[in-house]
Amino acid sequence: MEIKIGIQHAPRELVLDTDLDAEGVTALVTGGSDVLTFTDTKGRTVLVPSAKLAYVEIGSPSVGTVGFRG
């Protein structure tokens, strides 16, 4: 699942692929935690302070991706 995260006062958005489904991402964002912790499909961890969150765009599952994946 591709997630795009907008952060206040940051010129670029964060884009990551995760194994969470849309309900899992929604639960994580609306859970009321001070820091959101996402783990991408390569095992990297991304921490985002929820107070600085501008938006979270939840994309479609990444099934059917064309190209090399590493």
Side-chain angles (χ1 to χ4, degrees), residues 1-3 18 20-31 38 56-58:
M1 170 90 36
E2 182 180 80
I3 303 170
T18 183
L20 292 173
D21 58 0
E23 291 82 21
V25 173
T26 302
L28 183 64
V29 172
T30 60
F38 295 97
V56 176
E57 181 179 317
I58 302 171

Side-chain angles (χ1 to χ4, degrees), residues 5 17 54:
I5 303 170
D17 287 323

Side-chain angles (χ1 to χ4, degrees), residues 3-10 12-16 25 28-40 44-57:
I3 303 170
K4 294 181 182 179
I5 303 170
I7 300 173
Q8 296 175 6
H9 309 294
R12 294 177 45 187
E13 62 190 11
L14 295 174
V15 180
L16 59 114
V25 173
L28 183 64
V29 172
T30 60
S33 177
D34 290 337
V35 177
L36 303 178
T37 305
F38 295 97
T39 303
D40 70 2
R44 294 177 290 201
T45 302
V46 178
L47 304 173
V48 179
S50 59
K52 297 295 181 180
L53 208 61
Y55 64 89
V56 176
E57 181 179 317

